[in-house]
């Protein structure tokens, strides 16, 4: 077998990442050597590969679904927004500078087509199949000329395209038809059909519409995927966290002892790697929520200040909303606080930033004896170590370099009383360390909470990936998908007027 497929969507968040991961897991189960690919990703949730490259967290998750090691080849271009109009451009896992949206779409993006095609070809030479994820919608006609992630990459690779639509939002038939009708004839030739996502109810009531859609477009629907609670994966952006989503949508598992543990996560601007709290939400009896008001700290047993792409901006936001004062009061009362990456930096005494915000010297919250200096070179690492007597793994993605001037050592940061700080993302995924940390938090919060002795975050993640594979295997026409991956889009697909404007 040798081939591939592009999973496009009618909109952002239509379910492309879920479907791509599900197809990867399904193919892997069949013994197919498969890799995910997303030419260009815009996300503040990223991951560090073993070779020290930064890629989108969703592609790392899809690689896990495919049971392969994540690589920069799988996400050659990553855009990390720093404002509404500019992003840091990460090329082949390394930052190459800041660029405005106009500058990027005005020429730089198109110039990267050879790079992304080269990465895709290398993957195709290594794996039996490559499942590509698109971005946004392929019908964004204002961006088609410079597109390298949707029909641009499909055309370059001659990959068939399946368009995913979220029926839970409504208007899925119009979205499917309109998506195809706004593509050029050459692009339409590659669109083989559709996948309905998040369907609730009786599929037989949907089937007449699918038949009419086929009559109108000449294209079939490859499956109707049902709505499933708790099917979280590592999100690209937004405030949904994978396992937190499961907690929010269902009853929190009962605690081992009498008390639950309440975790409040500060919803700072440009929040990055909020997946750090997934492992907390996976614990029975732990309730995780995002907050943006000081009064929401009152009943929290632990407050987490997460990573952010804008450390100084987050610091200003905390002060403007009264959260800085609330954090200071918590620290004085010995109530637990955990700062991760940018959240660690804001808890320090001083920040020297001539790189990210260019704000110069800025006073931190002064809760930890740490001074941070931003460097142009980004730290990208996969550290291992020990904390609270337990083995810990993590990953680092930051420009700020911390000088720790006191306190007790804690990973690469420090601890003062009930305030902890570290640059390490993902540390809470280490099960024994997470249990020991939660035990410390419960003691400081005077809660009769006991962590479950057998929660395995890695096993829970595998279960979720298997559920995604089940969705494809049980609710999609897998024989037809396999033919599509192997042989490409069927010939003779009709053109749907009016097509892309000239």
């Amino acid at each position: 077998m040798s081939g591939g497929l592009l999973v496009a969507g009618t909109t952002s968040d239509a379910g492309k990442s879920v479907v791509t991961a599900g197809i990867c897991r399904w193919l892997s189960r069949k013994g197919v050597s498969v890799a995910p690919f997303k030419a260009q990703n815009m996300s503040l949730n990223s991951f560090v590969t073993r070779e020290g490259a930064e890629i989108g967290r969703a592609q790392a998750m899809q690689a896990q679904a495919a049971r392969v090691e994540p690589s920069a080849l799988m996400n050659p271009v990553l855009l990390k927004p720093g404002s509404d109009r500019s992003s840091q451009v990460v090329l082949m896992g390394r930052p190459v500078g800041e660029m405005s949206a106009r500058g990027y779409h005005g020429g730089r993006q198109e110039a990267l087509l050879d790079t992304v095609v080269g990465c895709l070809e290398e993957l195709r030479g290594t794996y039996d199949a490559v499942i590509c994820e698109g971005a946004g919608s392929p019908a964004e006609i204002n961006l088609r000329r410079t597109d390298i992630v949707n029909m641009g990459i499909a055309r370059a690779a001659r990959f068939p395209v399946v368009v995913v639509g979220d029926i839970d939002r409504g208007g899925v038939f119009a979205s499917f038809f309109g998506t195809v009708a706004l593509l050029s004839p050459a692009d339409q030739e590659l669109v083989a059909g559709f996948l309905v996502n998040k369907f609730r109810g009786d599929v037989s009531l949907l089937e007449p519409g699918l038949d009419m859609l086929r009559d109108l477009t000449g294209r079939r629907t490859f499956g109707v995927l049902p709505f499933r609670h708790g099917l979280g994966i590592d999100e690209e952006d937004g405030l949904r966290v994978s396992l937190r989503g499961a907690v929010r949508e269902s009853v929190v598992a009962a605690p081992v002892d009498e008390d639950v543990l309440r975790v409040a996560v500060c919803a700072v601007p440009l929040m990055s790697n909020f997946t750090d709290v997934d492992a907390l939400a996976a614990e029975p009896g732990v309730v995780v929520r995002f907050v943006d008001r000081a009064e929401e700290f009152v009943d929290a047993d632990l407050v987490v200040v997460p990573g952010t792409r804008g450390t100084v901006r987050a610091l200003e936001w905390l002060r403007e909303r009264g959260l800085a004062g609330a954090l200071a009061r918590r620290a004085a009362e010995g109530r637990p606080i955990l700062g991760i990456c940018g959240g660690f930096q804001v808890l320090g005494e001083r920040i020297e930033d001539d790189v990210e915000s260019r704000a110069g010297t800025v006073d931190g919250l002064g809760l930890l004896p740490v001074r941070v200096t931003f460097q142009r070179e980004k730290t990208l690492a996969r550290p291992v170590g020990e904390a609270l007597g337990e083995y810990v793994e993590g990953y680092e993605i930051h420009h700020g370099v911390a000088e720790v001037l006191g306190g007790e050592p804690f990973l690469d940061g420090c601890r003062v009383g009930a305030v902890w700080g570290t640059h390490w993302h993902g540390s809470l995924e280490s099960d024994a360390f997470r249990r020991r940390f939660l035990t410390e938090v419960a003691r400081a919060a005077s809660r009769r909470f006991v962590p479950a002795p057998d929660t395995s975050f890695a096993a829970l993640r595998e279960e979720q990936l298997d559920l995604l594979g089940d969705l494809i295997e049980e609710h999609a026409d897998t024989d037809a998908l396999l033919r599509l991956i192997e042989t490409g889009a069927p010939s003779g697909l009709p053109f749907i007027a009016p097509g892309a404007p000239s």
Side-chain angles (χ1 to χ4, degrees):
M1 176 183 181
S2 179
L5 175 71
L6 175 71
V7 178
T10 56
T11 62
S12 295
D13 203 30
K16 299 183 291 291
S17 295
V18 169
V19 170
T20 300
I23 292 174
C24 284
R25 178 49 60 101
W26 159 64
L27 287 173
S28 177
R29 285 173 176 171
K30 289 179 62 65
V32 176
S33 171
V34 58
F37 179 77
K38 186 162 185 172
Q40 171 198 295
N41 195 352
M42 178 172 280
S43 178
L44 288 172
N45 274 346
S46 57
F47 182 76
V48 179
T49 67
R50 293 202 181 278
E51 67 267 27
E54 185 180 9
I55 66 172
R57 180 101 187 182
Q59 279 60 66
M61 174 276 304
Q62 290 162 354
Q64 186 175 352
R67 298 190 174 101
V68 298
E69 190 66 31
S71 160
L73 294 171
M74 298 171 184
N75 179 208
V77 182
L78 173 64
L79 306 178
K80 302 192 73 174
S83 70
D84 291 339
R85 298 195 173 192
S86 68
S87 295
Q88 182 181 68
V89 181
V90 178
L91 180 61
M92 295 304 297
R94 294 288 173 180
V96 294
E98 296 280 334
M99 187 166 290
S100 68
R102 179 176 292 276
Y104 183 70
H105 290 288
R108 180 63 187 269
Q109 182 183 38
E110 192 174 15
L112 293 172
L113 182 60
D114 287 345
T115 298
V116 302
V117 169
C119 291
L120 178 55
E121 288 305 308
E122 190 169 342
L123 290 173
R124 294 180 75 178
T126 306
Y127 297 93
D128 296 332
V130 180
I131 308 302
C132 305
E133 179 186 345
S137 163
E140 291 166 349
I141 54 179
N142 55 316
L143 303 177
R144 176 61 185 92
R145 183 181 63 82
T146 58
D147 169 50
I148 63 171
V149 66
N150 288 307
M151 300 312 300
I153 197 69
R155 286 269 291 276
R158 300 306 300 170
F159 272 4
V161 179
V162 171
V163 181
V164 178
D166 180 356
I167 197 170
D168 203 44
R169 296 182 175 190
V172 74
F173 292 116
S175 297
F176 282 146
F177 184 89
T179 296
V180 179
L182 281 176
L183 300 180
S184 69
D187 285 350
Q188 288 193 24
E189 287 176 3
L190 296 176
V191 179
F194 315 104
L195 261 172
V196 176
N197 191 31
K198 296 185 183 177
F199 180 73
R200 306 172 191 247
D202 185 347
V203 176
S204 66
L205 298 177
L206 186 67
E207 287 170 349
L210 300 179
D211 292 339
M212 286 185 274
L213 182 66
R214 184 163 191 165
D215 291 341
L216 287 166
T217 66
R219 291 159 174 85
R220 59 163 300 172
T221 297
F222 288 91
V224 178
L225 309 183
F227 188 96
R228 288 284 187 267
H229 288 283
L231 267 187
I233 59 169
D234 293 350
E235 299 281 354
E236 289 185 354
D237 272 309
L239 275 183
R240 283 187 308 281
V241 177
S242 57
L243 289 173
R244 175 185 178 273
V247 170
R248 182 184 57 194
E249 295 167 359
S250 60
V251 177
V252 176
V256 173
D257 207 331
E258 297 178 10
D259 277 353
V260 298
L261 209 62
R262 294 175 174 84
V263 179
V265 184
C266 296
V268 296
L270 298 173
M271 191 188 325
S272 62
N273 289 77
F274 49 78
T275 48
D276 283 331
V277 300
D278 283 10
L280 295 179
E283 285 285 348
V286 176
V287 181
V288 178
R289 66 183 188 275
F290 287 95
V291 304
D292 59 4
R293 296 179 301 179
E295 54 267 32
E296 293 178 290
F297 283 0
V298 174
D299 68 343
D301 302 304
L302 170 67
V303 171
V304 177
V305 188
T308 172
R309 173 81 167 86
T311 300
V312 171
R313 180 175 168 187
L315 190 54
E316 294 170 348
W317 180 86
L318 289 168
R319 287 177 167 139
E320 289 168 359
R321 302 185 75 88
L323 296 171
L327 287 170
R329 289 190 293 275
R330 283 188 69 88
E333 294 165 0
R335 302 177 67 198
I337 300 169
L338 172 63
I340 303 174
C341 200
F344 167 41
Q345 295 167 7
V346 305
L347 297 179
E349 297 173 352
R350 190 181 69 199
I351 297 170
E352 298 278 353
D353 183 9
D354 295 318
V355 176
E356 189 177 77
S357 68
R358 298 181 175 85
T361 303
V362 178
D363 289 334
L365 299 184
L367 304 184
L368 291 175
V370 174
R371 294 177 183 175
V372 177
T373 303
F374 275 70
Q375 306 288 346
R376 295 199 178 278
E377 186 71 20
K378 181 185 282 191
T379 297
L380 296 169
R382 290 277 293 272
V384 297
E386 184 177 295
L388 304 180
E390 302 292 350
Y391 176 79
V392 189
E393 295 182 5
Y395 58 99
E396 294 184 67
I397 306 169
H398 54 92
H399 285 279
V401 175
E403 180 186 7
V404 179
L405 303 172
E408 300 175 42
F410 177 69
L411 301 176
D412 70 328
C414 64
R415 170 188 182 178
V416 174
V419 181
W420 292 267
T422 177
H423 275 128
W424 290 23
H425 296 289
S427 63
L428 294 167
E429 295 178 20
S430 298
D431 297 326
F433 165 71
R434 181 181 65 255
R435 286 192 277 271
R436 183 65 64 88
F437 176 72
L438 289 175
T439 299
E440 292 269 335
V441 168
R443 183 183 300 118
S446 299
R447 287 285 187 187
R448 298 183 66 178
F449 170 85
V450 177
D454 55 356
T455 301
S456 168
F457 185 76
L460 288 171
R461 178 164 291 189
E462 278 297 306
E463 286 176 14
Q464 285 192 311
L465 295 174
D466 278 332
L467 287 172
L468 297 183
D470 292 344
L471 271 184
I472 299 299
E473 195 164 339
E474 296 170 9
H475 300 283
D477 186 337
T478 52
D479 289 340
L481 284 177
L482 206 56
R483 286 194 300 273
L484 201 60
I485 293 167
E486 290 178 326
T487 63
S491 59
L493 292 169
F495 172 72
I496 307 301
S502 59

